[in-house]
């Protein structure tokens, strides 16, 4: 029987999925370039900026894992806490990519001829790859901090963290898509951020937050299970004990 222990934070900082997401991001960029070459303008170039922002929380979480390994003393705790705050502010940028489908849905330029329909299918695949990349980037970064919370506290705290962050992420997506706030407003426009948060306390925001929080949670839990429970749970890296 496998004995549950703390998740190992000695796993490779750069996981295989990182390389796949790097390749997918390059592919997404190429899809934008090919589309621009065929229709003579870059209609969806904002997707590239949003994809760049979606990478930031993963870079922060990878840095936090590195600090957890090599850091010492009070400085380590301070840096990890700061990384957690920065990550939480940046995290909604990852699932935010799923909301870009709204531009595809509301685009009136798709006609009924063969070429227009082909362009619609092309854009549908392109948008899906961008949004899927965002969800996976969010999953990887969240798993890093899940492992840290679990490692320094316990399993229950780790899962409470996941649930809370999922719905905070949903609210963050609402602030970005509906209120049009950005992560850096915390530094450059704090009063605008406060106004936006207060404006976001309503029934519409609650429903939006619940829906996207649920999406984030289901995606995380599904990928967590598919990855073999996400962490190496055996003590000392051993496999099983009879």
């Amino acid at each position: 029987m496998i004995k549950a222990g703390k998740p190992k934070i000695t796993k490779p900082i750069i996981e295989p999925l990182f390389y796949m997401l790097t390749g997918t991001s390059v592919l997404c960029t190429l899809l934008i370039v090919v589309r621009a070459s065929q229709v003579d303008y870059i209609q969806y170039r904002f997707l590239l900026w949003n994809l760049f922002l979606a990478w930031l929380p993963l870079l922060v979480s990878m840095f936090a894992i590195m600090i957890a390994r090599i850091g010492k003393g009070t400085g380590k705790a301070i840096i990890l806490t700061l990384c957690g705050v920065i990550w939480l502010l940046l995290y909604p940028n990852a699932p935010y990519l799923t909301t870009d489908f709204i531009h595809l849905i509301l685009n009136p330029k798709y006609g009924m001829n063969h070429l227009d329909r082909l362009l619609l299918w092309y854009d549908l695949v392109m948008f899906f790859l961008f949004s899927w990349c965002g969800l996976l980037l969010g999953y990887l970064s969240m798993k890093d901090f899940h492992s840290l919370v679990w490692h320094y506290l316990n399993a229950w705290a780790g899962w409470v963290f996941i649930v809370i962050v999922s719905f905070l992420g949903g609210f963050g997506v609402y602030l970005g898509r509906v209120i049009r706030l950005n992560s850096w407003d915390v530094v450059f426009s704090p009063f605008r951020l406060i106004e936006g948060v207060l404006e976001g306390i309503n029934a519409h925001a609650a429903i939006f937050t619940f829906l996207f929080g649920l999406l984030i949670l289901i995606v995380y839990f599904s990928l967590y299970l598919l990855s073999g429970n996400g962490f190496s749970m055996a003590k000392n890296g051993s496999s099983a004990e009879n």
Side-chain angles (χ1 to χ4, degrees), residues 188-205:
F188 298 106
S189 303
F191 293 108
R192 179 171 179 267
L193 177 64
I194 294 173
E195 292 176 359
V197 171
L198 293 176
E199 184 181 347
I201 302 177
N202 56 67
H204 180 269

Side-chain angles (χ1 to χ4, degrees), residues 136-197:
L136 288 179
L137 288 167
Y139 162 75
L140 271 186
S141 69
M142 188 183 286
K143 191 174 75 165
D144 283 342
F145 275 97
H146 187 185
S147 69
L148 290 172
V149 174
W150 194 334
H151 179 80
Y152 289 110
L153 297 177
N154 55 56
W156 282 106
W159 283 109
V160 169
F161 168 82
I162 290 300
V163 173
I164 292 175
V165 166
S166 294
F167 289 98
L168 284 178
F171 186 60
V173 173
Y174 175 83
L175 293 178
R177 172 54 65 190
V178 179
I179 308 299
R180 308 305 296 167
L181 293 175
N182 299 299
S183 301
W184 50 86
D185 285 331
V186 175
V187 177
F188 298 106
S189 303
F191 293 108
R192 179 171 179 267
L193 177 64
I194 294 173
E195 292 176 359
V197 171

